[in-house]
Amino acid sequence: MLRIDDTVAIEDWELSESFMRSSGPGGQNVNKVSSAVELRFEAARSPNLPGPVKSRLRRLAGRRWTSDGAIVLQCDETRSQARNREIIRERLVELIQKALVAPKRRIATKPTLGSKKRRLKSKKQRGEVKSLRGKVDPSD
């Protein structure tokens, strides 16, 4: 079980890991050992995540969200498979924690009278500057 916070925990059946050979440094080790990790989290089917959290998670995941509602994360940063597993699980936890935070509602406000007057005054000044840029009369 993967603990996100006090209220949300992800069951083991929702996660599946696969291992593959990674690219990058490591010499002969890279060609022999499957140290890269691909983590798949079935987010759309998860009973532990509420609907609004799932929709925010989908938006945050972007192209990592698959058509069947899973999040696929990959990590091949280190030469150690165990460390790559830790990193990828930390990333998933961070992503879900971001999705758990509901955005604050924006409170609509009206511009103040002073700001309206300043705006109109600056528009008037700009209009005067532009009006002085007119074509020059050849008769002058």
Side-chain angles (χ1 to χ4, degrees):
M1 188 179 336
L2 190 63
R3 256 228 167 308
I4 307 300
D5 67 357
D6 297 335
T7 57
V8 179
I10 295 172
E11 301 296 329
D12 290 332
W13 67 266
E14 299 175 79
L15 299 173
S16 61
E17 292 175 331
S18 59
F19 305 99
M20 61 217 120
R21 289 190 207 125
S22 67
S23 61
Q28 194 66 40
N29 189 56
V30 170
N31 301 329
K32 293 190 291 186
V33 180
S34 298
S35 61
V37 181
E38 182 180 88
L39 180 74
R40 186 178 175 90
F41 169 53
E42 301 294 334
R45 297 188 316 163
S46 176
N48 300 319
L49 296 178
V53 173
K54 286 180 187 176
S55 62
R56 284 194 296 269
L57 188 59
R58 182 177 186 160
R59 195 181 71 247
L60 285 170
R63 62 186 184 92
R64 296 174 292 189
W65 185 277
T66 63
S67 57
D68 57 319
I71 294 176
V72 179
L73 302 170
Q74 293 179 333
C75 181
D76 62 350
E77 290 176 13
T78 67
R79 292 171 60 176
S80 164
Q81 187 186 81
R83 182 66 187 126
N84 282 338
R85 284 183 73 192
E86 289 174 19
I87 291 170
I88 207 71
R89 285 174 176 256
E90 287 168 9
R91 284 186 191 161
L92 180 65
V93 168
E94 287 171 15
L95 192 65
I96 295 172
Q97 283 175 341
K98 282 182 188 174
L100 285 171
V101 177
K104 288 184 180 177
R105 261 187 89 148
R106 184 186 177 279
I107 299 168
T109 58
K110 289 167 72 174
T112 61
L113 183 64
S115 68
K116 286 182 190 175
K117 287 183 177 176
R118 284 191 298 274
R119 183 180 136 269
L120 292 175
K121 184 180 173 190
S122 69
K123 281 172 72 76
K124 191 83 168 163
Q125 284 177 340
R126 193 78 190 135
E128 287 171 8
V129 167
K130 288 186 173 188
S131 69
L132 294 173
R133 290 186 194 156
K135 290 190 177 181
V136 178
D137 241 357
S139 61
D140 286 341

